[in-house]
């Protein structure tokens, strides 16, 4: 990731939250950079890890960023749970179930899996999965 940098250089990062998702990730990146004797410069904050104050600020702001992310994810989970309880959140509906018999019929007619996928507006992997399931069910019967 940082192979092209050399002694007394600083690797730039535009934003701290784009660099790492947790303090542990951030510290891992900083450790790798320190082993290579490379600093880290966070451009939107004007922060440089080549100074003790910069390293302290980076650790503190990294912790705050991780906290904000965890709070956001918690709120998201709570919102989804409330929407599910109210019957408003059902998730994605499986599209292929409606087209399963059509996929099997077209395959029996000799169409290629690619042609079936295009004709029914499905992904090729979905066609393969439907046909594999149909074969397993036919073998059981």
């Amino acid at each position: 990731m940082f192979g092209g940098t050399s002694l007394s250089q600083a690797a730039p990062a535009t934003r701290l939250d784009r660099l790492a998702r947790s303090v542990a990730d951030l510290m891992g990146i900083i450790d790798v950079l320190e082993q290579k004797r490379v600093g880290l410069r966070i451009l939107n904050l004007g922060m440089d890890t080549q100074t003790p104050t910069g390293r302290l600020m980076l650790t503190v702001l990294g912790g705050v960023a991780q906290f904000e992310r965890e709070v956001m994810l918690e709120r998201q989970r709570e919102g989804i749970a409330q929407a599910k309880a109210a019957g408003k959140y059902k998730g994605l509906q499986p599209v292929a179930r409606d087209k399963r018999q059509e996929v099997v019929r077209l395959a029996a007619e000799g169409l290629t899996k690619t042609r079936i996928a295009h004709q029914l507006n499905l992904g090729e992997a979905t066609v393969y999965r439907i046909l594999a399931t149909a074969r397993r069910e036919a073998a059981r019967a």
Side-chain angles (χ1 to χ4, degrees):
M1 178 169 158
F2 302 108
T5 55
S6 66
L7 187 64
S8 77
Q9 286 186 333
T14 55
R15 294 176 48 193
L16 183 59
D17 62 337
R18 304 300 296 160
L19 181 64
R21 294 287 182 203
S22 68
V23 176
D25 290 344
L26 181 61
M27 292 299 112
I29 291 168
I30 291 172
D31 286 344
V32 169
L33 290 172
E34 284 179 352
Q35 288 172 5
K36 296 177 182 266
R37 294 186 170 182
V38 175
L40 178 64
R41 196 168 281 138
I42 310 297
L43 301 178
N44 73 328
L45 300 173
M47 188 182 308
D48 189 348
T49 63
Q50 292 175 324
T51 66
T53 304
R55 281 193 296 276
L56 171 67
M57 290 300 298
L58 187 66
T59 305
V60 170
L61 290 176
V64 170
Q66 181 177 345
F67 171 75
E68 285 179 341
R69 178 159 174 73
E70 289 171 359
V71 168
M72 183 268 305
L73 291 174
E74 184 179 330
R75 286 182 186 150
Q76 182 182 31
R77 282 189 296 272
E78 289 171 358
I80 290 171
Q82 287 176 350
K84 282 182 179 180
K88 295 181 181 180
Y89 183 92
K90 295 177 176 62
L92 293 176
Q93 298 299 316
V95 177
R97 283 186 189 163
D98 302 339
K99 300 179 181 180
R100 185 179 184 279
Q101 291 177 343
E102 188 71 10
V103 169
V104 173
R105 183 184 66 77
L106 291 173
E109 291 177 7
L111 267 71
T112 65
K113 293 169 182 73
T114 303
R115 172 81 58 169
I116 295 169
H118 286 291
Q119 187 171 334
L120 297 178
N121 198 24
L122 295 172
E124 286 185 49
T126 302
V127 172
Y128 276 90
R129 196 169 32 255
I130 289 171
L131 293 175
T133 302
R135 271 187 250 115
R136 281 193 303 269
E137 289 174 359
R140 285 186 208 145

